[in-house]
Amino acid sequence: FYTELSKYEEEQKMPYVTSVERIGFERGMQQGVEKGIEEGIEKGIEKVTLRQLQRRLGPLTEATQAHIRALSLEQLEELSEALLDFALLSDLEAWLQRHPVPDAPTVLAEEENGAKPQS
């Protein structure tokens, strides 16, 4: 049977896909689409938050921007609300100090190194 099936698949140039394989493929595709949508939403929130911060506080250093990009979606959402109360760059710096991210540059470290704001 398998020899005949292989021969048929080769002749028709289409492999036989079982219903289990098809279901697995469809589920995998759906999960991929959902993950892509989630990542797109997170990038959108990140972009808008950075733009709002720069408009409110002026240019941000690369290290500050990297710290913000490293935040989790939940932290980004918190920051997008908190920035409405920021009056000074020091307000953002204090917020970032309270919300550390592993492997992200810290605002204090960039100040010690004399980092320049990026627009």
Side-chain angles (χ1 to χ4, degrees), residues 79-108:
L79 177 57
S80 70
E81 290 182 29
L83 71 83
L84 299 172
D85 297 324
F86 295 168
L88 303 168
L89 187 57
S90 60
D91 296 329
L92 171 61
E93 293 167 351
W95 191 95
L96 292 174
Q97 290 298 318
R98 292 190 310 272
H99 298 81
V101 177
D103 301 326
T106 64
V107 174
L108 290 178

Side-chain angles (χ1 to χ4, degrees), residues 26-93:
E26 290 171 359
R27 285 183 183 167
M29 288 294 294
Q30 182 64 31
Q31 289 173 349
V33 168
E34 290 172 2
K35 183 173 179 166
I37 290 170
E38 289 173 11
E39 289 175 2
I41 289 170
E42 186 170 350
K43 287 294 178 193
I45 292 171
E46 174 187 298
K47 185 175 180 177
V48 169
T49 300
L50 281 167
R51 288 179 65 189
Q52 290 175 334
L53 284 165
Q54 289 181 12
R55 177 147 185 195
R56 187 166 194 92
L57 305 174
L60 304 174
T61 64
E62 281 296 323
T64 299
Q65 291 180 43
H67 187 139
I68 292 166
R69 286 187 188 100
L71 294 172
S72 68
L73 178 58
E74 182 179 319
Q75 289 173 314
L76 273 173
E77 289 172 343
E78 288 177 32
L79 177 57
S80 70
E81 290 182 29
L83 71 83
L84 299 172
D85 297 324
F86 295 168
L88 303 168
L89 187 57
S90 60
D91 296 329
L92 171 61
E93 293 167 351

